[in-house]
Structures are given as C-alpha cells and as structure tokens.
Amino acid sequence: MMRSHYCGDINENHLGQEVEICGWVHRRRDHGGVIFIDLRDREGIVQVVFDPDRADSFATAETVRGEYVLKLKGRVRPRPEGTINPKMKTGKVELLGLELEILNRSETTPIQVDGDIEVNEETRLRYRYIDLRRPEMLEKIRLRRDVTLNLRRFLEDEGFYEIETPFLTKATPEGARDYLVPSRTHENSFFALPQSPQLFKQLLMIAGMDRYYQVVRCFRDEDLRADRQPEFTQLDIETSFMDEGEIMGLMEGMVRRLFNEVINVKLPEQFPQMTYEKAMDVYGTDRPDLRNPLVLTDVADLMAAVEFKVFSGPANSDDGRVAALRVPGASSLSRKDIDGYTKFVSIYGAKGLAYIKVNDRAAGIEGLQSPILKFLPDDVVENIMDRTGAQTGDIVFFGADKTKIVNEALGALRDKIGQDQGLLEGDWKPVWVVDFPMFDWDEKSSRWNAIHHPFTAPSCDADELKANTGKALSRAYDLVLNGTEVGGGSIRIHKTDMQQVVFDLLGMDAVESQEKFGFLLDALKYGCPPHGGMAFGLDRLVMLMSGASTIRDVMAFPKTQTAACPLTSAPATVSDAQLKELGIRLRKPPVVEEK
C-alpha cells in the first residue's frame, strides 16, 4: 500500500512512529528556511515540517504548490508549545518530513480549496470534483455517509430486510411527471423511472417479507428548488401487522437515535402530534415550523358584516377565509419593508397585504395606524385587537381571499417574518401531522384527487367514504422538522373492495383500474396483511442536519438548471438514426411547398 494512515487519523497515539501518508497540498508555508505543508485527504489535515537538514526532501518541498498530490514518510512528534491547534483533529501533533514524492502536479485551481472565498454556484458545479475537495464539502458528504449507515444499522437491528426493487417500471400515478426510458425490444413503448417503490414494497408485504427497507434513488420530472431535486434518494420503509401509532413510534426511535449518535442532538422523548386541520388553521401550512411563535387567528366572523367587500366577501364565502397574523414588536417596520412583504405574498396569489400598526394600545383607535381603519367600524377593530392579543409596538397583517390562497400567503409570510425578525425559539422542533383529508377537490377537472397517493387507507369504512367523500380522513402521517417535511407515510389499503372504491372515487372505473392496477387488485385477493410504511427524504434530512442552505450542498453530483456540471446538467442528444434503432416513431413536421 502507498500509505499506512489517513492524514486526519494521525494523533498522539502515534507519537514516535514513522508513518506514510498521501494527499493534496492544502497549504504551503515557508518560514525562514523551514517549510510547512498541510496535507489533506478525506479524513482531515495534518501538518508536515521539512527542514534543510534533509536536503533531498527539502528541495522537493520547495517546488511544491497548492493541490499537488504527494506521498511522504514522516515521524510523528508533538507540536511545540504554543503551536497546538485545538480546531484540528491532528492539532496536537505534526510530522517531521523524512521522504517526499510528488505523485502529480496541479495547475492553479478555479476554486480556492483552502479559503472562505465565495464562489458562484455555476463555477462550483462545473468543477464539482474540486469543490468536493473543500473540507466543508467533505464534511457534508461524510455526514451523509454517517446518516445512511446509522439508519441502516437501526433497521437491521429491528429485523428489517434491505431489498432492491426495479428501476425500469410501468408508469404509476405518484403526483409528478415521470422520466421515460425508450424500450429497444418493445417498439414505441417506454419504461418509467420510479417516483418511489410504493407498489413494489406493498407487493413485498403481500409476499410475507414483513419488514422491508431500501436506500433508493427516485426520479420526478420537477423543477429544481432549494430543497428539491428531480433525482433524489429516500429511505423507503414498509412493515406488516403494525398500526400507525406503532410505526410512528418506531420511526421516532430511529430519528432520535440518528440525531443523538450522529450530531449529538437530543430530540424530545415523544414527538408531539397535530392534526392537519389545526396545522392549516393555526400555521397556514401542513409543514409548521414550531420554533416560530407566530400564529394565524381567524377573524372572519368579525368581518362578515363590514361594508368593506375585501373582507366581507371572503368572510361570507364557503371557500373563503379572513385571518390575522400578529407580529410582536414589529410596528417599526417601514413602508418599504411592508411593500416588500406585500410583493412576497403576491407570489402565492394574494392581491394585497392589509395591516394595522399598534402604536399605543391604551389609546384605543387613536393609537392605531393603518389605511384600512377608515373602512372598519371601531368595535370590529377593537375586537380584532383583543382576539389577536395585540400590544403596543406590534403590527397585525391580514389575509382575505380563498382559504387556499390565505393559508399559503400568510403561512409563507409567517415563516419569512419569523426568520427576518429573529423570532425562532430553540434548535429542533419535530411534530407529527396526522388526520389528513383523504381527497381534495380539483375545480378545473371537476374530480377528486388523492392527497397522498391512491393506496392510502381511509379512517372510515367504504360506505362512509362514499357518502362523505370530502370529509373523509386518511390514515396518513408526516414527520415535520423545523418546517420541513422529512418523511411521510400511511397505512395502506389491504383489501380489494376498498381499493376499488378509492379508484372509483378518483374517476377510474373497473376497466381503467384493471388496466392500470390489475396486478395490485389481484394481489390483494391472496391474503394481503394489514401493512403501512414511510419514506424519508435522505437528501433533505442531511441538509437539515448539516445546516446546508440548499439540497445541492449535500449531494455529490446534483442536477443543475445551467450547463454547469457537464455530466448532470443536460440530457444527451439522440440522432434520428439512434431513435429509429430504439424503435421510436419519428414525428416530423409536414413539408410546406412554397407557392
């Protein structure tokens, strides 16, 4: 072997030993005839000292530059008094360089590996192999490895089998567009890359595997976001003969152990639970960040009789909502600040952002400041102040529109203001969101859609589901951490008749459901056990644990919207001849003759 130790593993236990290491030059310093080289590999950095007494190795060290690849032999010794670096794993020791070999030289890199200089994302992704050399990126990749290993160990200890499922599959509805792969052997036909292994893991439960997991790559043809990628990794889990309480308890134990052992964070002994209805009413989202103390307060009943139609219209509408968001101590917000927040909520469809500043609560109406006060009766305003608990120095924002728009706009505003005003309390706040609706109504297509997926079990029987479809709840559960959904799951339908009822309500008759899901309906007939499971977004989980700002920082080679990363940014072009060979029928525009 070329080395006996990794650079970052050398410590006081090796004092007096001769070791051989390999790595990249992180930094080189020449101090009055003594040359210091910080050598780096994936495990860390160690300081190596070369002095003129060893002429050959010293002469070679003089020619070394940043990012050269070196192999060297050295003797481990304690650092001199006053030079110990407690920030480094190897900070108490150094190597006296005995032999040095340059394995490869390097040109000046387009990214400075040894500094904190900001580099634009396009450059980082174009030269990802250099970006990944940076210690902070190495640390994130190491954390990802530690997270995956810890999760695997927990599940193995709990008797789960890791089982691989196919990548080339039939397209199934998962709520996003599929990536399609042309088939060479089936003309004009395509495979779909899996959005999740959902149906396969249910079939594994029918097969009696009892406890399954998989760290699996999934694919969804979606636009890039800070916390979302079109190809991503999830921890997929399914188990038989457990109800939702037992599954959630098991998953809590897994997440608690993960945080404790990997980043030394102790999460609560029991995660709180919150219904979907409460989450939407109080926080405007089913992914509430409980570190944020701000809450939404319904004031529709107070606005129902006012003449100002902006408020009374939604207040009297079946699908409308009027809500207030009180922000303590924020009456000092400038007009420019408020205009910025108004523009922000417009992203979510809000037509404006009304507000009342509370300059002096004891002064009654005279102590309030707002353009909308002239449209509201004094008693209505006083009741709003009382209900929201507004105090001197506060500001109260209002949302009035369709319920969906108000929830999305004020929910997002709550998150943004909480960050901007430094209101977040505590470091980690997990919560289970439960009792999701089974369906929501799509006005455009005039049909029901499944909130999660069509294999989620309802909380009621089939007759009740058909009679009160819009009010039916599902046996689904999401784990939310600091406002981010890190995992979601449900108890699945395990009987053919219930599954067919759900398909019917989704607008799939017996013929269509047999064509698309006949294999599942048949499988459910042969002794399918009660089962349920969960999937965790591994990339998103690591992003939270590492403190990264985007999901791209915890993936080795993420997708990009630019041509930055040559291997991941754009699909390969395919010639007409290749398309013909793949059996794809070409559709060319008709030839139009000039007259």
Side-chain angles (χ1 to χ4, degrees):
M1 292 182 64
M2 296 182 70
R3 62 185 170 199
S4 61
H5 297 78
Y6 281 104
C7 297
D9 289 342
I10 296 172
N11 55 47
E12 292 170 291
N13 295 327
H14 304 109
L15 289 174
Q17 297 181 21
E18 290 189 3
V19 298
E20 295 183 7
I21 57 175
C22 300
W24 287 262
V25 176
H26 192 67
R27 192 176 291 109
R28 175 190 175 278
R29 309 180 301 282
D30 191 333
H31 289 181
V34 178
I35 295 174
F36 294 85
I37 292 177
D38 292 340
L39 200 67
R40 182 194 72 245
D41 60 22
R42 73 172 196 187
E43 298 302 322
I45 300 172
V46 67
Q47 177 175 282
V48 187
V49 183
F50 293 90
D51 61 48
D53 293 344
R54 295 184 175 272
D56 290 344
S57 60
F58 186 83
T60 304
E62 285 185 310
T63 68
V64 165
R65 295 296 180 266
E67 297 308 304
Y68 276 29
V69 185
L70 307 182
K71 173 188 175 183
L72 62 86
K73 178 185 288 187
R75 182 177 297 111
V76 183
R77 67 184 188 186
R79 284 200 186 196
E81 194 69 32
T83 65
I84 291 174
N85 186 349
K87 296 181 180 179
M88 293 177 62
K89 286 197 302 181
T90 61
K92 293 183 178 180
V93 298
E94 63 184 16
L95 268 63
L96 174 62
L98 304 176
E99 299 176 10
L100 176 62
E101 178 184 354
I102 298 175
L103 299 177
N104 207 349
R105 289 169 168 78
S106 173
E107 296 181 4
T108 301
T109 57
I111 296 173
Q112 185 172 337
V113 178
D114 67 338
D116 296 326
I117 297 176
E118 287 290 328
V119 181
N120 69 66
E121 187 175 55
E122 184 169 345
T123 301
R124 288 182 57 199
L125 294 171
R126 182 180 296 278
Y127 299 99
R128 190 61 161 180
Y129 46 89
I130 298 175
D131 187 46
L132 288 172
R133 291 182 190 176
R134 297 189 300 127
E136 53 265 46
M137 286 302 298
L138 280 169
E139 184 58 36
K140 289 181 175 68
I141 298 301
R142 184 183 299 113
L143 175 66
R144 186 186 181 100
R145 186 279 312 263
D146 292 344
V147 167
T148 304
L149 184 61
N150 189 280
L151 294 170
R152 274 195 164 104
R153 284 175 173 165
F154 178 91
L155 292 168
E156 292 289 343
D157 291 345
E158 293 292 335
F160 283 77
Y161 286 2
E162 183 168 15
I163 303 174
E164 294 179 339
T165 54
F167 270 13
L168 298 177
T169 70
K170 179 180 179 178
T172 58
E174 293 281 352
R177 292 181 297 271
D178 290 307
Y179 281 108
L180 301 179
V181 180
S183 169
R184 179 183 61 82
T185 55
H186 296 80
E187 188 174 353
N188 298 321
S189 296
F190 296 80
F191 294 105
L193 297 179
Q195 295 185 35
S196 83
Q198 179 62 43
L199 290 172
F200 286 109
K201 64 181 181 179
Q202 289 190 242
L203 294 176
L204 287 171
M205 295 303 101
I206 299 172
M209 294 297 102
D210 195 75
R211 291 190 172 196
Y212 142 94
Y213 83 95
Q214 184 181 188
V215 178
V216 60
R217 201 72 164 171
C218 300
F219 307 85
R220 295 181 182 177
D221 188 5
E222 298 179 317
D223 295 334
L224 295 170
R225 301 182 194 174
D227 65 344
R228 185 170 296 180
Q229 283 273 299
E231 58 178 89
F232 57 95
T233 305
Q234 71 182 35
L235 174 66
D236 205 52
I237 298 167
E238 198 79 4
T239 183
S240 297
F241 306 112
M242 294 180 74
D243 62 23
E244 48 265 66
E246 292 169 316
I247 293 174
M248 291 161 67
L250 184 64
M251 295 299 97
E252 271 189 35
M254 180 180 75
V255 173
R256 267 196 301 271
R257 189 173 100 168
L258 172 70
F259 273 70
N260 185 38
E261 295 184 355
V262 175
I263 60 173
N264 196 30
V265 167
K266 293 190 180 299
L267 295 177
E269 282 303 312
Q270 185 170 1
F271 297 174
Q273 294 186 21
M274 179 184 302
T275 65
Y276 171 87
E277 182 179 21
K278 179 180 178 181
M280 300 304 293
D281 285 348
V282 178
Y283 303 107
T285 177
D286 59 0
R287 303 179 302 277
D289 186 346
L290 298 189
R291 297 173 302 166
N292 187 340
L294 302 182
V295 296
L296 276 57
T297 303
D298 271 314
V299 293
D301 59 316
L302 301 177
M303 298 290 201
V306 303
E307 294 183 5
F308 194 35
K309 297 300 183 183
V310 170
F311 289 134
S312 61
N316 290 291
S317 173
D318 290 339
D319 65 347
R321 184 179 189 191
V322 184
L325 177 68
R326 170 199 164 218
V327 185
S331 66
S332 59
L333 287 174
S334 68
R335 183 68 216 187
K336 181 180 179 181
D337 294 329
I338 294 173
D339 287 345
Y341 287 133
T342 302
K343 184 176 181 180
F344 174 76
V345 297
S346 70
I347 298 170
Y348 302 91
K351 300 179 183 68
L353 184 62
Y355 68 90
I356 296 176
K357 286 187 175 183
V358 187
N359 297 326
D360 184 355
R361 182 70 183 95
I365 298 298
E366 298 301 319
L368 305 179
Q369 176 188 348
S370 171
I372 68 170
L373 289 176
K374 59 188 175 183
F375 301 112
L376 301 176
D378 290 355
D379 61 327
V380 170
V381 175
E382 285 290 350
N383 286 334
I384 290 172
M385 295 295 102
D386 289 341
R387 184 173 295 182
T388 59
Q391 302 294 323
T392 298
D394 297 350
I395 189 170
V396 181
F397 291 105
F398 296 89
D401 210 311
K402 291 185 176 180
T403 299
K404 185 175 186 295
I405 292 175
V406 171
N407 286 342
E408 290 183 354
L410 287 190
L413 181 65
R414 170 184 175 269
D415 287 339
K416 182 168 178 56
I417 290 180
Q419 293 279 354
D420 292 349
Q421 297 293 312
L423 301 176
L424 303 189
E425 302 169 350
D427 295 323
W428 300 98
K429 294 283 185 72
V431 60
W432 288 104
V433 179
V434 298
D435 291 342
F436 284 85
M438 188 73 180
F439 305 105
D440 66 352
W441 181 252
D442 187 338
E443 292 183 0
K444 291 183 179 179
S445 58
S446 296
R447 60 188 292 270
W448 293 108
N449 287 327
I451 291 285
H452 280 75
H453 54 63
F455 319 111
T456 299
S459 297
C460 58
D461 61 29
D463 291 338
E464 179 67 18
L465 183 63
K466 288 185 285 187
N468 293 293
T469 304
K471 296 182 179 180
L473 301 180
S474 68
R475 299 176 68 182
Y477 38 85
D478 285 355
L479 180 58
V480 177
L481 184 60
N482 290 2
T484 296
E485 179 199 330
V486 295
S490 68
I491 299 299
R492 324 301 186 188
I493 296 169
H494 70 283
K495 292 184 178 179
T496 306
D497 54 353
M498 176 63 85
Q499 186 64 75
Q500 186 60 65
V501 167
V502 171
F503 286 156
D504 290 342
L505 292 170
L506 293 172
M508 280 188 281
D509 58 23
V511 175
E512 184 181 357
S513 59
Q514 188 64 37
E515 179 184 340
K516 291 182 176 180
F517 299 106
F519 63 94
L520 175 65
L521 294 171
D522 288 343
L524 295 177
K525 298 175 184 176
Y526 297 107
C528 176
H531 61 284
M534 193 162 180
F536 288 86
L538 194 63
D539 312 301
R540 198 175 289 177
L541 191 58
V542 176
M543 182 184 76
L544 281 177
M545 296 175 71
S546 69
S549 57
T550 72
I551 211 165
R552 293 185 287 280
D553 271 344
V554 298
M555 303 175 76
F557 297 102
K559 290 286 185 184
T560 71
Q561 288 178 318
T562 69
C565 188
L567 289 176
T568 66
S569 59
T573 57
V574 183
S575 68
D576 286 359
Q578 289 172 310
L579 288 171
K580 286 181 179 178
E581 185 179 350
L582 290 168
I584 299 174
R585 184 184 294 113
L586 299 176
R587 294 183 178 178
K588 294 188 176 181
V591 177
V592 179
E593 295 182 359
E594 293 185 5
K595 294 183 179 181

